[in-house]
Amino acid sequence: MSQPTIESILQEKRQFEPSPEFSQAARIGSLEAYEELYRKAAQDPAAFWAELAEQELYWFKKWDQVLDWQPPFAKWFVGGKTNISYNCLDRHLTTWRRNKAALIWEGEPGDSRTLTYAQLHREVCQIANVLKDLGVKKGDRVGIYMPMVPEAAIAMLACARIGAPHTVIFGGFSAEALKDRLQDAEAKLVITADGGFRKDKVVSLKPAVDQALADNAVPSVENVLVVQRTKAAIEMVSGRDHWWHELQAGASADCPAEEMDSEDMLFILYTSGTTGKPKGVVHTTAGYNLYTHMTYQWTFDAKDTDVYWCTADVGWITGHSYIVYGPLSNGATSLMYEGVPRPSNPGCFWDVIEKYGVNIFYTAPTAIRAFIKMGEEIPNSRDLSSLRILGTVGEPINPEAWMWYHRVIGGGRCPIVDTWWQTETGGFMITPLPGAIPTKPGSATKPFPGILADVVDLEGNSVGANEGGYLVVRHPWPSMMRTVYGNDERYRRTYWEHIPPQNGQYLYFAGDGARKDEDGYFWVMGRVDDVISVSGHRLGTMEIESALVSHPAVAEAAVVGRPDDLKGEEVFAFVTLEGHFEPSDDLKTELKQHVVNEIGAIARPGEIRFAEALPKTRSGKIIRRFLRNLASGESVAGDASTMEDQSVLEKLRQGS
Ligand code: WTA
């Protein structure tokens, strides 16, 4: 099993110190230095962040108040005026970084582009003007549905520049999922591409936008801006659709950054939760900028000479915070790669590292497990000596995968930063600072300075060393989500009331289980709610159930995660059928495809099992615990006596 078990982590005693040379050259170079920073930040978080905000960001106008905390609603740097696009671009132009590579992009077919800060600034300004000409105003939402091309980053920065919050929708989502998100955000314009390249195939995107907008399903959308990437034939709706390159050619490169309020919305990013449709996580301007800036700088021990590569897609928070905003705010060189390892080129990641001399490499455990399976001859045949730091994110990394990553990719010399965080947190919350904190395989180690993380019971009391509990944060931090778009109540309920506030102290509930060991190291155990992680992609079981139930053959559906060696978890669906439908393999295939159409290929069930009935409590709640056991082939744990009908379980076990 790939997920760490309590037993395996309790036995994990290995510890890796950064080398003295690494620590000496690091921004934060000793455990004492980290502890001193942590202590100072914990004593007065607002003062700590204010000092950094002054030092690290450009402000059109300084704030009046650092933190206004009306639990669970936070405002940071109240009254301040800044712009993240300015911080990511303009301020570097008056320095030597003007001609430094901001983005290096490698396309899957082997084409590539480098944009210096000056060039990136120019293109962002042009597209910002294009957006304005198409009627986008400050506050209007813009949907971005793109492959991994530089234009995706340019689009985000252009939106930020004019104060139009973006909502990036991962290119792997279906037309249905795209429609839901565009509707919820009431997007005024959509930026997309004809398609992209994935695993040696051309995948289309624009047709999904056409489908999402068909029958005026999203009346707020007035225009669609289309990047030409694959040159596949697509339809252009006259008056609505415009080619990016055509409008860019006529656009002025002069577009001063809008003076944004610290708390003006920067973006909405949809993510899966326990209930209902995906929720729009809202992030605002200044706090997000500061926090992604600092976490990038300290966690990756940023040096101006680094080539940094994060393999995430810009459609996820990792792409937002650590391909675009965090690195560029620091004036770093951020590499974007369109491709993924594929049969025709399983070593493509190592080729990219060799070609560009990548120094910092940040990827996900699911990718590492796939590399292990492909064999170490592939990376061993490439020159990976440029690497300095390795990172991982998205799910708990099992110690074996960590050791392999350290030895084979890092040559035993690169610290690994295992960064625990979420869409909601905006930036890294628990992570090693590589020159300071000794690492233990499988542990995200210690909280970032200013983050008062803890492991607690359901009443909010800290649990003892090595006792399992809920991962929480006890004090607001600058890049915390501000609300669920359009739904303050859902925000309050989901994150702040799960563990009831005590004496006015609110705890942010992350939805993860964790334990802290005797050295204060955090070991994240995974979700404690109905969210599953498939290849590091976060999916709500409810969402997949709703997709299944929307098919005419399905009466009821229950979805659980089944442990999978490569993906971490796989979607396993139990389905009962409407009376006149018969179970068949064809129907299974049809239902799997139906989920793909409703959500996207990432949610395709690995297995569907037909059942006559689902196990329920007497009050009618589906008992997922039993289903999880059944899906993973384990014996059904716990007391089944609360079940309405005992025979249901037996039939499920025998089910097809
Ligand atoms: C999981 C991704 C263990 C966790 C940045 C969290 C992790 C969810 C780690 C958020 C890690 C992320 N170790 N688990 N280093 N990083 N997770 O919103 O369950 O896509 O709650 O953000 O991923 O997923 P999200």
Side-chain angles (χ1 to χ4, degrees), residues 420-439:
W420 176 83
W421 61 297
Q422 310 177 292
T423 305
E424 293 87 340
T425 69
F428 305 153
M429 300 295 279
I430 303 178
T431 174
L433 301 183
I437 302 180
T439 49

Side-chain angles (χ1 to χ4, degrees), residues 271 316-318 362 392-397 418-424 430 444 510-512 524-527 533 536-538:
T271 192
W316 310 114
I317 190 68
T318 308
Y362 186 38
T392 157
V393 59
E395 56 181 309
I397 181 164
D418 175 354
T419 60
W420 176 83
W421 61 297
Q422 310 177 292
T423 305
E424 293 87 340
I430 303 178
D512 279 320
V524 179
M525 305 299 296
R527 303 291 305 198
S533 167
H537 299 318
R538 179 171 160 181

Side-chain angles (χ1 to χ4, degrees), residues 36-272:
E36 174 57 25
L37 262 180
Y38 190 84
R39 196 190 46 73
K40 182 176 150 197
Q43 243 167 28
D44 188 349
F48 174 77
W49 292 117
E51 193 183 323
L52 292 169
E54 178 107 52
Q55 196 180 297
E56 298 286 328
L57 299 187
Y58 175 83
W59 297 86
F60 297 113
K61 175 181 172 285
K62 205 183 149 175
W63 58 90
D64 307 313
Q65 189 187 357
V66 185
L67 171 64
D68 173 11
W69 178 222
Q70 318 269 347
F73 299 97
K75 291 186 181 144
W76 283 88
F77 308 108
V78 182
K81 298 254 183 218
T82 184
N83 183 301
I84 198 168
S85 159
Y86 188 97
N87 278 311
C88 286
L89 301 169
D90 305 51
R91 63 171 169 156
H92 305 312
L93 301 186
T94 51
T95 72
W96 69 272
R97 290 194 189 101
R98 179 180 180 85
N99 297 324
K100 176 181 175 177
L103 284 181
I104 297 177
W105 172 78
E106 175 88 1
E108 195 187 86
D111 46 346
S112 61
R113 256 185 102 185
T114 297
L115 287 139
T116 63
Y117 274 93
Q119 290 169 323
L120 182 61
H121 173 261
R122 183 182 160 78
E123 299 213 12
V124 167
C125 287
Q126 287 177 321
I127 297 305
N129 279 327
V130 167
L131 294 176
K132 284 202 268 190
D133 289 346
L134 292 173
V136 177
K137 296 195 181 54
K138 185 173 169 180
D140 289 341
R141 277 80 57 214
V142 172
I144 299 180
Y145 184 63
M146 295 274 264
M148 280 290 284
V149 291
E151 287 82 355
I154 293 169
M156 291 162 74
L157 290 161
C159 287
R161 192 161 192 88
I162 62 171
H166 52 71
T167 179
V168 184
I169 297 128
F170 172 57
F173 279 123
S174 68
E176 266 309 301
L178 174 64
K179 183 180 80 184
D180 285 347
R181 287 158 176 78
L182 293 175
Q183 278 174 340
D184 188 76
E186 293 176 281
K188 182 143 187 204
L189 181 141
V190 180
I191 306 179
T192 188
D194 46 4
F197 294 94
R198 197 166 178 85
K199 298 198 174 174
D200 303 313
K201 288 200 193 86
V202 172
V203 293
S204 62
L205 286 171
K206 174 66 167 47
V209 175
D210 293 338
Q211 207 182 320
L213 301 183
D215 306 321
N216 202 24
V218 195
S220 57
V221 173
E222 292 169 6
N223 291 288
V224 178
L225 190 57
V226 188
V227 172
Q228 192 168 45
R229 167 75 186 124
T230 64
K231 303 216 164 86
I234 53 165
E235 253 177 72
M236 295 290 278
V237 176
S238 146
R240 186 196 74 181
D241 299 349
H242 316 269
W243 285 110
W244 169 295
H245 59 275
E246 286 177 4
L247 297 193
Q248 184 182 4
S252 151
D254 179 24
C255 180
E258 192 75 31
E259 297 194 6
M260 302 299 290
D261 220 86
S262 294
E263 280 300 327
D264 277 338
M265 182 159 62
L266 175 63
F267 65 85
I268 307 170
L269 186 58
Y270 287 85
T271 192
S272 300

Side-chain angles (χ1 to χ4, degrees), residues 365-515:
T366 186
I368 299 167
R369 291 193 297 265
F371 301 143
I372 297 175
K373 224 172 161 177
M374 290 186 260
E376 57 186 85
E377 308 73 45
I378 302 176
N380 283 347
S381 66
R382 311 300 208 277
D383 179 6
L384 304 180
S385 60
S386 58
L387 289 172
R388 197 165 76 74
I389 297 174
L390 302 175
T392 157
V393 59
E395 56 181 309
I397 181 164
N398 42 312
E400 300 69 38
W402 195 102
M403 289 302 298
W404 188 93
Y405 196 31
H406 188 253
R407 178 176 61 83
V408 179
I409 306 306
R413 69 178 186 280
C414 303
I416 295 181
V417 291
D418 175 354
T419 60
W420 176 83
W421 61 297
Q422 310 177 292
T423 305
E424 293 87 340
T425 69
F428 305 153
M429 300 295 279
I430 303 178
T431 174
L433 301 183
I437 302 180
T439 49
K440 302 185 188 187
S443 170
T445 75
K446 302 208 170 208
F448 199 80
I451 301 304
L452 307 186
D454 199 1
V455 180
V456 302
D457 62 21
L458 268 181
E459 274 82 55
N461 307 306
S462 302
V463 300
N466 285 320
E467 273 176 45
Y470 302 97
L471 186 45
V472 297
V473 186
R474 292 188 178 276
H475 191 278
W477 65 100
S479 67
M480 63 194 273
M481 74 182 286
R482 297 303 194 257
T483 189
V484 171
Y485 186 63
N487 199 339
D488 286 349
E489 247 337 280
R490 188 165 174 202
Y491 166 70
R492 179 195 293 277
R493 259 198 337 267
T494 313
Y495 302 102
W496 300 96
E497 288 182 348
H498 198 86
I499 294 170
Q502 282 175 325
N503 312 322
Q505 213 216 356
Y506 276 66
L507 300 186
Y508 169 80
F509 171 71
D512 279 320
R515 58 183 54 220

